[in-house]
């Protein structure tokens, strides 16, 4: 006998593996926009600090000119107004070629000298935002393609079902 089950046990709509796959897929698709937001927030915070912070003279004490963009960083040492020595790091663009020993301008938060930016060099937020854009385009296009394939398959199945009903 076919028809509706009456014993009360129903097959769940999604198994736990399918739910896990769906959750991971949603996380991966949302990762890009999250990184774009985090990067933009970091850039805005650095720009606000550059406009409101205290200025100090700094010296580039380390720079390793590597080909990998995420590792092109300078280390800068500076002294705050109270005479305490501090150091900070800044990302270096491929167009820039800093020299160890060069003087740079550092802007730091007066209440927390650990929050500092080096004028003329990139914020770490630029890297996060760039990775976020790449992931959004990559995973977003894959998700769109999968959505289109599933949608077209469902539409074709519906058309075939209608055609079968008309024939019978």
């Amino acid at each position: 006998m076919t028809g509706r089950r009456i014993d009360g046990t129903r097959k769940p709509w999604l198994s736990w593996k399918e739910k896990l796959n769906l959750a991971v897929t949603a996380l991966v698709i949302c990762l890009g926009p999250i990184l774009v937001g985090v990067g933009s927030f970091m850039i805005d915070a650095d720009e606000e600090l550059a406009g409101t912070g205290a200025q100090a003279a700094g010296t580039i004490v380390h720079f390793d000119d590597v080909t990998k963009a995420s590792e092109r960083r300078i280390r800068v040492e500076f002294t705050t107004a109270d005479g305490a020595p501090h150091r900070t790091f800044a990302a270096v663009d491929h167009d820039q070629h800093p020299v160890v020993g060069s003087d740079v301008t550092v802007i730091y938060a007066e209440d927390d000298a650990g929050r500092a930016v080096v004028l003329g060099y990139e914020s770490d937020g630029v890297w996060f935002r760039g990775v976020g854009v790449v992931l959004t385009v990559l995973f977003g296009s894959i998700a769109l393609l999968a959505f289109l394939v599933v949608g077209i398959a469902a539409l074709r199945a519906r058309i075939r079902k209608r055609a079968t009903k008309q024939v019978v």
Side-chain angles (χ1 to χ4, degrees), residues 1 4-5 11 18 33 39 44 52-53 57-58 60-61 75-76 84 94 112 128-129 134 152 158 164-165:
M1 178 159 120
R4 197 167 148 224
R5 295 180 81 162
K11 181 180 175 191
E18 291 169 329
D44 291 345
T52 61
I60 299 173
V61 295
R75 185 172 62 224
V76 176
H94 281 289
D112 179 15
F128 279 99
R129 189 167 61 183
V134 169
I152 290 171
R158 181 178 288 175
T164 305
K165 284 183 180 180

Side-chain angles (χ1 to χ4, degrees), residues 27-98:
L27 179 69
V28 167
I29 289 173
C30 293
L31 183 63
I34 289 170
L35 285 176
V36 169
V38 168
S40 296
F41 177 78
M42 290 171 69
I43 291 169
D44 291 345
D46 285 349
E47 287 176 357
E48 182 180 335
L49 178 62
T52 61
Q55 187 171 341
T59 304
I60 299 173
V61 295
H62 181 75
F63 173 61
D64 190 13
D65 194 8
V66 296
T67 57
K68 191 172 181 183
S70 62
E71 294 178 5
R72 288 180 53 90
R73 301 176 69 75
I74 57 172
R75 185 172 62 224
V76 176
E77 291 183 352
F78 65 99
T79 305
T80 57
D82 62 357
H86 291 279
R87 70 172 50 155
T88 188
F89 298 88
V92 178
D93 193 14
H94 281 289
D95 298 346
Q96 296 173 314
H97 302 286

Side-chain angles (χ1 to χ4, degrees), residues 1-11:
M1 178 159 120
T2 61
R4 197 167 148 224
R5 295 180 81 162
I6 58 171
D7 61 358
T9 58
R10 297 178 66 189
K11 181 180 175 191

